[in-house]
Amino acid sequence: QVQLVESGGGLVQPGGSLRLSCAASGNFFSVMAMGWYRQAPGMQREQVARIDGFRSTNYADSVKGRFTISRDNANNTMYLQMNSLKPEDTAVYYCNTAPPTKPWGQGTQVTVSS
């Protein structure tokens, strides 16, 4: 059964950092491109970062230079290092394949506020 579990969110001041983790169960992780997505209140879910099987990465312009996506195929885990956080980064963050094909997890809340 496919399951995606996000963790690592929290409340952080502007300029701070967080590291999100995504634990994936199932046999798909190592062979598929994966992505981090976020959804702010009243907004559509958007992809913020993507990493393929060759560890080639892409980022949304809004996070480029501040966020870093990485993956550990041996442990079916993906990460999102978020630095220089801004209030506009506040959202629920999710992981999924890229494009998304699996059931969404519960996400992890990131709140950037002073």
Side-chain angles (χ1 to χ4, degrees), residues 5-56:
V5 179
E6 302 90 350
S7 62
L11 172 63
V12 63
Q13 292 187 343
S17 298
L18 284 173
R19 188 192 195 207
L20 306 184
S21 298
C22 168
S25 61
N27 297 324
F28 66 93
F29 184 84
S30 62
V31 299
M32 297 192 72
M34 295 294 296
W36 281 99
Y37 304 80
R38 69 185 180 188
Q39 186 168 21
M43 304 291 286
Q44 287 194 338
R45 192 172 296 172
E46 63 171 346
Q47 181 176 290
V48 297
R50 178 185 183 275
I51 184 167
D52 68 15
F54 299 100
R55 292 181 169 80
S56 177

Side-chain angles (χ1 to χ4, degrees), residues 22 30 36-37 41 46 58 66 70 75 81 86 98 107 111 114:
C22 168
S30 62
W36 281 99
Y37 304 80
E46 63 171 346
N58 299 96
R66 301 187 297 120
S70 60
N75 292 299
Q81 177 67 42
K86 304 176 180 180
T111 303
S114 55

Side-chain angles (χ1 to χ4, degrees), residues 25-114:
S25 61
N27 297 324
F28 66 93
F29 184 84
S30 62
V31 299
M32 297 192 72
M34 295 294 296
W36 281 99
Y37 304 80
R38 69 185 180 188
Q39 186 168 21
M43 304 291 286
Q44 287 194 338
R45 192 172 296 172
E46 63 171 346
Q47 181 176 290
V48 297
R50 178 185 183 275
I51 184 167
D52 68 15
F54 299 100
R55 292 181 169 80
S56 177
T57 58
N58 299 96
Y59 298 92
D61 288 344
S62 58
V63 307
K64 201 170 294 182
R66 301 187 297 120
F67 290 10
T68 303
I69 188 172
S70 60
R71 65 191 298 166
D72 177 356
N73 287 343
N75 292 299
N76 281 8
T77 305
M78 181 174 65
Y79 304 97
L80 186 68
Q81 177 67 42
M82 305 187 296
N83 298 327
S84 302
L85 282 161
K86 304 176 180 180
E88 51 264 43
D89 295 318
T90 295
V92 179
Y93 284 71
Y94 303 87
C95 61
N96 210 311
T97 56
T101 62
K102 306 303 181 186
W104 293 99
Q106 83 288 350
T108 186
Q109 175 71 48
V110 172
T111 303
V112 185
S113 175
S114 55

